[in-house]
Amino acid sequence: AGDGGRRGDLPVADCYRCSWPYMRPRLEYAVSAACRLLEFALFQVLHSDGGADAVAAKEDKTRERQRELRIVFVGHSLGGAVALHAAQAVARRFGTDSYCGKALDGSPEILIRFAGVCTLNGALDVERMQAAEDAPPFEALSGSRGLFVCGDEDQVVDPEYSKKMHEVLPMRAKRYLSLSGGTHDLFAHKAQLIEELCGFIAECVRGPVSSESSPPAPLPSAEAA
C-alpha cells in the first residue's frame, strides 16, 4: 500500500497509507496526497516500457495516434470525500472523458482524461455543500461517470449520503447502488463489489460518456436508481 505500480494493464496507486497516516487528516492534506500519488503513478507509466504493446507501437512507424490515459478514483467512507475532491481537481486540470483532455506536460503524445469516480459508503454531505455554494457541487465532473454504493445497514455513515450524491452530482452517466444488509465495511458483499467495480472501471476505460448515456441495469440483488 502507498506505492504506485501496475496491476495487469492498469496503473494503480493505493492512497490509503499516504492520505490517512493520522486516521483523519485535514481534507486538503488527503486530497493533495491523492493527487501527488496519482502524479507518481503517471510518472511510472511514462517511464515504463509498456511491454509488448509499446514495443510493437514503436516498430509500427505508421501508427501516430496519441495515447490516452483515463483516470478513475474509488474511495470508501471519508475516502469517498477525498476521492470526489481529488477527482474534481484532476478534472479541472485535464478535462473529463466527454470533453477534450489535455496532454501531459512534457509528453504531448500522452492525453489525460478524468473518466469516473466511485464512492463506497461515501461520507460526504452534498446537500450541505449545495446550500453553502453558489455553483452546483463538483460541476467539473459533469462529463465523467459516477457510481455511488452504500450498505443500507451502515451504522457509521448515513446511507442517505450516497443517495443524495447520486441525485445532486452532475454526471450524465451515474448509478446508485444500495446493498441490502450491507454494513460500513461492505465485507459481506465483497464478491458483488468486485464485479461492480471491475464493470465500472471497464466502462470508464472503454470510452467517453455520450450525451445519451443511461446507467446500466443493476444486479438482481441490488436496489438501484
Side-chain angles (χ1 to χ4, degrees):
D3 62 341
R6 295 188 70 86
R7 300 176 188 173
D9 294 327
L10 295 175
V12 173
D14 184 345
C15 298
Y16 183 81
R17 291 188 185 276
C18 184
S19 63
W20 226 252
Y22 308 111
M23 293 306 294
R24 188 170 178 178
R26 291 179 295 106
L27 181 63
E28 295 83 356
Y29 175 90
V31 171
S32 175
C35 291
R36 290 292 183 91
L37 205 50
L38 172 62
E39 182 181 11
F40 178 73
L42 291 174
F43 178 86
Q44 295 290 91
V45 171
L46 291 175
H47 291 80
S48 68
D49 60 14
D53 289 342
V55 173
K58 289 177 182 178
E59 292 176 350
D60 184 1
K61 301 301 183 181
T62 64
R63 185 174 178 178
E64 298 178 353
R65 182 181 175 186
Q66 195 173 39
R67 182 183 180 190
E68 293 186 8
L69 294 178
R70 293 187 173 89
I71 308 301
V72 179
F73 281 119
V74 180
H76 170 256
S77 191
L78 284 167
V82 175
L84 280 166
H85 284 281
Q88 177 160 256
V90 173
R92 285 174 172 169
R93 169 65 179 86
F94 293 111
T96 56
D97 225 1
S98 286
Y99 306 108
C100 58
K102 291 184 180 178
L104 196 62
D105 292 343
S107 300
E109 74 282 4
I110 305 292
L111 187 69
I112 308 293
R113 302 176 191 268
F114 182 76
V117 60
C118 170
T119 64
L120 309 171
N121 285 325
L124 183 67
D125 188 348
V126 292
E127 284 194 314
R128 180 179 296 181
M129 290 183 63
Q130 193 176 29
E133 298 178 7
D134 294 332
F138 301 104
E139 195 169 13
L141 302 180
S142 61
S144 64
R145 299 178 188 272
L147 175 61
F148 307 98
V149 182
C150 70
D152 66 3
E153 293 187 11
D154 187 349
Q155 300 299 308
V156 179
V157 174
D158 188 344
E160 283 293 308
Y161 280 8
S162 295
K163 187 174 183 179
K164 291 299 181 183
M165 280 189 269
H166 173 261
E167 292 173 359
V168 172
L169 297 189
M171 294 88 157
R172 287 200 301 267
K174 58 183 176 178
R175 187 156 64 105
Y176 165 69
L177 190 63
S178 178
L179 301 175
S180 178
T183 55
H184 187 61
D185 61 11
L186 297 172
F187 187 78
H189 298 273
K190 180 179 178 181
Q192 183 178 350
L193 278 178
I194 291 173
E195 184 176 350
E196 288 284 349
L197 287 173
C198 287
F200 176 71
I201 293 170
E203 289 173 1
C204 292
V205 170
R206 273 198 299 266
V209 178
S210 68
S211 58
E212 295 82 17
S213 291
S214 58
L219 296 179
S221 59
E223 172 194 343

